[in-house]
């Protein structure tokens, strides 16, 4: 078989495996739980990275396996002919990888703007981190809570502060994580899309009690949220 036919066959195998691999992962939910607008964007980024990496993986696998099978030498341990530069291959390599990196950076920027670009919020929440607990306040509503309660479909701005060391507020189901830095105020936005109870945890090693620095996030219907607020206000 000529070199050209080997190349054509290898490209055909690569194309078939790439299309099959992309079909298997496209539209997949990679995050275990997607319970916010932000998590949907983050999941989309994971899916795109996986889709883009399939042809790259198949390129490496097909090149190695095809070469190992078709060009193996059973009784010859000499080195093959030396290969010198290949202009078109080198230019193609640089152009394709450059386009992939710039394309992914552009996609990531659009996703980041979708998550954090809009500064508007329907609800203000202040999250305070201390060794080793979270506390939440709703400054406009005059309510405080040990757990985070949010109404579904409303965009909340969570302002995060720390009194002692660096912590990190992370809600995997919402696809969000933000450091709590002493002396600094950090923020994140979340728009829950599904009612339910989710876990929140500190995601920055902050001392002996770090692993116990967990709390719950409950997403309610707006009417239930209003009832919860009224109930909290009645408590002394
Ligand atoms: Cu911690």
């Amino acid at each position: 078989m000529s070199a050209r036919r080997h190349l054509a066959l290898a490209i055909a195998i690569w194309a078939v495996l790439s299309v099959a691999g992309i079909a298997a992962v496209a539209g997949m939910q990679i995050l275990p739980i997607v319970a916010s607008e932000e998590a949907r964007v983050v999941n989309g980024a994971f899916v795109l990275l996986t889709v883009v990496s399939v042809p790259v993986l198949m390129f490496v696998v097909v090149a190695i396996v095809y070469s190992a099978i078709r060009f193996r030498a059973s009784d010859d341990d000499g080195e093959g002919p030396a290969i010198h530069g290949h202009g078109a291959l080198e230019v193609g390599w640089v152009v394709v990888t450059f386009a992939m990196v710039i394309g992914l950076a552009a996609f990531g920027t659009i996703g980041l703007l979708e998550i954090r670009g809009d500064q508007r919020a329907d609800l203000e929440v202040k999250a305070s981190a201390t060794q080793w607990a979270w506390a939440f306040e709703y400054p406009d509503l005059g309510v405080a809570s040990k757990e985070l309660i949010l109404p579904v479909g409303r965009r909340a701005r969570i302002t995060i502060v720390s009194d002692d060391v660096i912590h990190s507020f992370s809600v995997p189901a919402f696809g969000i994580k933000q450091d709590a830095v002493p002396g600094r105020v950090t923020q994140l936005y979340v728009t829950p899309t599904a009612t339910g109870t989710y876990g929140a945890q500190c995601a920055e090693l902050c001392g002996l009690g770090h692993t116990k620095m967990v709390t719950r996030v409950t997403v309610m219907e707006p009417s239930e949220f209003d009832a919860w607020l009224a109930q909290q206000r009645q408590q002394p």
Side-chain angles (χ1 to χ4, degrees):
M1 202 151 54
S2 72
R4 220 167 253 279
R5 306 238 0 222
H6 277 301
L7 188 62
L9 182 57
I11 288 174
I13 296 170
W14 167 78
V16 169
L17 290 177
S18 294
V19 169
I22 289 170
V25 295
M28 208 175 146
Q29 184 179 315
I30 293 179
L31 292 185
I33 307 171
V34 174
S36 75
E37 288 292 339
E38 292 71 18
R40 185 186 54 75
V41 175
V42 172
N43 186 71
F46 276 121
V47 170
L48 181 79
L49 281 174
T50 310
V51 163
V52 169
S53 62
V54 166
V56 177
L57 172 71
M58 292 309 171
F59 177 79
V60 174
V61 169
V62 170
I64 290 175
V65 174
Y66 190 91
S67 303
I69 293 172
R70 298 306 289 267
F71 305 125
R72 72 181 182 279
S74 47
D75 56 352
D76 170 21
D77 53 7
E79 286 181 23
I83 297 169
H84 297 284
H86 190 300
L89 188 66
E90 285 163 23
V91 169
W93 187 261
V94 170
V95 168
V96 169
T97 48
F98 180 78
M100 282 170 79
V101 169
I102 297 299
L104 288 174
F107 183 85
T109 306
I110 292 166
L112 190 64
L113 287 173
E114 237 182 294
I115 291 176
R116 311 195 71 137
D118 187 357
Q119 308 288 303
R120 282 173 305 166
D122 305 317
L123 178 70
E124 296 284 345
V125 183
K126 185 180 165 195
S128 305
T130 48
Q131 285 172 313
W132 289 280
W134 294 102
F136 302 96
E137 265 175 74
Y138 299 75
D140 302 338
L141 306 169
V143 163
S145 170
K146 288 238 167 269
E147 296 180 4
L148 179 58
I149 314 289
L150 294 172
V152 69
R154 303 273 164 86
R155 184 171 164 87
R157 178 181 11 249
I158 305 176
T159 302
I160 302 163
V161 294
S162 167
D163 295 338
D164 39 43
V165 299
I166 299 175
H167 302 274
S168 186
F169 184 65
S170 169
V171 185
F174 291 164
I176 55 170
K177 174 153 64 175
Q178 176 67 57
D179 278 4
V181 184
R184 220 193 266 186
V185 176
T186 54
Q187 285 180 338
L188 49 79
Y189 293 86
V190 62
T191 312
T193 51
T195 56
T197 301
Y198 312 103
Q201 64 209 47
C202 180
E204 181 67 57
L205 189 59
C206 58
L208 273 181
H210 166 64
T211 53
K212 293 189 182 123
M213 198 165 161
V214 293
T215 187
R216 273 193 307 187
V217 181
T218 302
V219 178
M220 303 174 162
E221 291 297 336
S223 58
E224 285 178 84
F225 180 71
D226 290 339
W228 174 79
L229 284 177
Q231 187 200 347
Q232 291 299 109
R233 286 199 189 100
Q234 276 169 12
Q235 285 177 7

